[in-house]
Amino acid sequence: MISVRSSNAFVEEVIAAIQNVVGAGQIALHEPSFDGNEWIYLKDCLDSNFVSSIGKYVDEFEQALVTFTGAKYAISVVNGTAALQIALKLAGVERGDEVLIPALTFVATANAVSYLGAIPHFVDSEMSTLGINVVKLREYLEANTQLKSGICFNRKTNRPIRALVPVHTFGHPASMDEILMIGQDFNLMIVEDAAESLGSQYKGKLTGTFGKLSALSFNGNKTITTGGGGAILTDSEFLAKRARHITTTAKLPHKWEFDHDEIGFNFRMPNINAALGCAQIEKISEKIVNKRRLFQKYKEVFAPILGITLFEEPPNCYSNYWLQTMILEDETEQYRNSILEQTNLRGISTRPVWKLICNLAPYKNAPAMNLDVARKLSRRIINIPSSPSLLVGNI
Ligand SMILES: *Cc1c(COP(=O)(O)O)cnc(C)c1O
């Protein structure tokens, strides 16, 4: 039984399982691979002098995103946080509004809300998807909000709650049917934080195509990278035009005049980053297939270990398995820190999940619902090496 196993034996068992899959030696948590046309496209940028905000790769990358995701429009920007900020702004979020986001997410989700002068309002997670707890959220909104002329108001703070941001945690799709229904019933704009889930599907439809607007990230640790970068997805021609306009300093088209009709942002993705993205997206399906095979391998070796579950994609979903996720149980959660310590000591990069955002200094006073599930998950999750290249040549 687990209770009589020593901490040491348990930790050794976990390390042996991981090494069985990834081999011994230094293993990153998630590293990119450049085994396609990256070198050719980057050289082309340098040879042609088009390295900055003008050049063909930006348009080509946006077209590739449209083709791959099925969204009608894609607007590429400097990073995922900027994509989320602009998506929220175009969804109508204003200073003094509240925006519902999970407490268990990367801090960027909350920061994007704050940049607009709005206030994040923290929502609990669910065990089955690691995303927004749809049962608790509906109950909470019924008890704590009121619709006044079509606007959802927080009864306690009297502030409008304008939007709901589902995050597809570690690539696993959130419960989108229920989230869209909550959006309808409480008149909340749905803006997806799909930063981690490019290529993941919910009931056959790609994440990032459910919200009125969505945000993607192409940071170095994501499934595909542009160095740094992000994109806004939308089906609305009007919002796509607005997004393109305000991310390029709101400049009015003219051969030489500098005329700007509002305070815009310099958020456009440079050509050199988009060139990297064009090469990366050519290989995305291959990368995802490799990440899914990696999951199967981990699943095999973890199956006999009591006290650990490997998180598996929710039913009716196809996940990109961005980060592989172990979840400790009642009897093993006490070993979290030893596992983190011992794996990292031996060169296996592992990480705990983020601290709940409501526990971070800048967000201590933000409104929150009961967060029992998120708190439990935050004590139990460890991410293990997840690079798409890990199994190449290893099987
Ligand atoms: C990576 C990430 C972001 C931000 O993307 P950047 O490109 O790093 O700005 C936002 N939300 C989530 C959930 C992320 O994982």
Side-chain angles (χ1 to χ4, degrees):
M1 282 309 298
I2 292 149
S3 49
V4 298
R5 274 191 294 175
S6 71
S7 149
N8 216 21
F10 179 69
V11 174
E12 288 308 319
E13 219 178 329
V14 171
I15 291 177
I18 298 174
Q19 285 182 334
N20 188 337
V21 175
V22 302
Q26 292 286 327
I27 310 285
L29 186 71
H30 199 288
E31 58 186 0
S33 40
F34 304 114
D35 47 8
N37 288 320
E38 285 86 355
W39 297 87
I40 297 169
Y41 298 164
L42 283 177
K43 184 168 186 312
D44 182 37
C45 283
L46 299 175
D47 287 343
S48 68
N49 259 347
F50 284 108
V51 294
S52 195
S53 47
I54 296 173
K56 67 173 186 183
Y57 287 109
V58 179
D59 296 337
E60 282 181 16
F61 184 50
E62 289 176 346
Q63 190 48 54
L65 285 171
V66 162
T67 306
F68 179 71
T69 61
K72 284 210 177 113
Y73 304 93
I75 299 91
S76 53
V77 294
V78 288
N79 57 52
T81 314
L84 197 55
Q85 179 187 342
I86 298 302
L88 287 164
K89 184 180 167 67
L90 293 179
V93 173
E94 292 179 4
R95 183 166 296 279
D97 287 350
E98 292 183 8
V99 175
L100 297 160
I101 70 168
L104 189 71
T105 176
F106 182 51
V107 69
T109 317
N111 288 345
V113 173
S114 303
Y115 298 156
L116 297 170
I119 298 124
H121 186 151
F122 298 112
V123 175
D124 202 12
S125 312
E126 57 187 16
M127 282 295 190
S128 54
T129 65
L130 308 180
I132 280 177
N133 189 316
V134 289
V135 174
K136 280 179 78 170
L137 178 59
R138 176 172 286 278
E139 276 175 21
Y140 178 75
L141 291 175
E142 270 162 12
N144 294 285
T145 66
Q146 187 180 12
L147 278 175
K148 280 189 265 179
S149 21
I151 298 169
C152 180
F153 277 85
N154 180 338
R155 281 182 203 266
K156 271 197 202 109
T157 61
N158 245 327
R159 291 186 291 241
I161 305 180
R162 200 72 67 174
L164 168 59
V165 182
V167 177
H168 307 294
T169 314
F170 307 138
H172 301 293
S175 298
M176 286 316 299
D177 281 346
E178 292 84 355
I179 288 169
L180 292 174
M181 233 128 70
I182 290 172
Q184 259 176 23
D185 294 348
F186 296 89
N187 209 5
L188 305 167
M189 278 288 219
I190 306 296
V191 175
E192 278 177 271
D193 182 342
E196 302 177 356
S197 65
L198 183 61
S200 298
Q201 300 170 22
Y202 176 85
K203 298 190 176 169
K205 187 167 149 68
L206 269 91
T207 58
T209 62
F210 289 87
K212 188 83 187 158
L213 298 127
S214 306
L216 305 175
S217 166
F218 311 111
N219 192 35
N221 63 347
K222 296 284 162 54
T223 300
I224 65 166
T225 185
T226 58
I232 300 158
L233 300 181
T234 183
D235 279 347
S236 154
E237 184 184 2
F238 172 76
L239 292 175
K241 279 191 176 145
R242 288 281 301 139
R244 190 151 287 141
H245 186 60
I246 63 172
T247 54
T248 50
T249 69
K251 186 179 181 298
L252 296 173
H254 190 279
K255 277 213 168 85
W256 57 79
E257 291 288 1
F258 289 104
D259 198 0
H260 307 259
D261 62 354
E262 63 185 295
I263 300 176
F265 301 81
N266 178 16
F267 279 175
R268 196 85 171 123
M269 178 185 282
N271 200 44
I272 196 161
N273 298 86
L276 202 51
C278 285
Q280 288 268 295
I281 202 167
E282 288 169 359
K283 294 264 186 157
I284 188 167
S285 301
E286 198 176 302
K287 287 180 202 294
I288 293 176
V289 166
N290 283 334
K291 290 165 82 63
R292 292 177 62 81
R293 279 173 56 216
L294 182 62
F295 168 75
Q296 289 302 336
K297 270 303 256 185
Y298 275 131
K299 192 179 163 185
E300 271 167 43
V301 299
F302 275 104
I305 305 181
L306 294 174
I308 280 196
T309 322
L310 212 57
F311 189 81
E312 188 157 3
E313 66 195 356
N316 300 317
C317 291
Y318 177 90
S319 175
N320 70 2
Y321 282 93
W322 172 54
L323 284 188
Q324 309 285 346
T325 304
M326 308 190 310
I327 306 186
L328 299 170
E329 292 167 12
D330 285 340
E331 334 76 80
T332 51
E333 103 180 17
Q334 57 183 311
Y335 303 137
R336 185 191 88 147
N337 288 350
S338 336
I339 293 174
L340 288 165
E341 217 171 274
Q342 287 304 314
T343 47
N344 284 291
L345 205 64
R346 292 186 224 182
I348 305 166
S349 293
T350 58
R351 292 287 179 275
V353 72
W354 316 283
K355 284 189 176 171
L356 297 193
I357 300 187
C358 55
N359 293 336
L360 303 180
Y363 293 110
K364 284 218 161 99
N365 298 319
M369 67 186 272
N370 170 286
L371 298 169
D372 284 350
V373 182
R375 279 185 216 291
K376 188 188 252 191
L377 284 170
S378 77
R379 295 192 302 266
R380 295 185 173 190
I381 288 179
I382 297 178
N383 293 118
I384 57 180
S386 306
S387 307
S389 56
L390 273 175
L391 287 184
V392 178
N394 207 353
I395 264 189

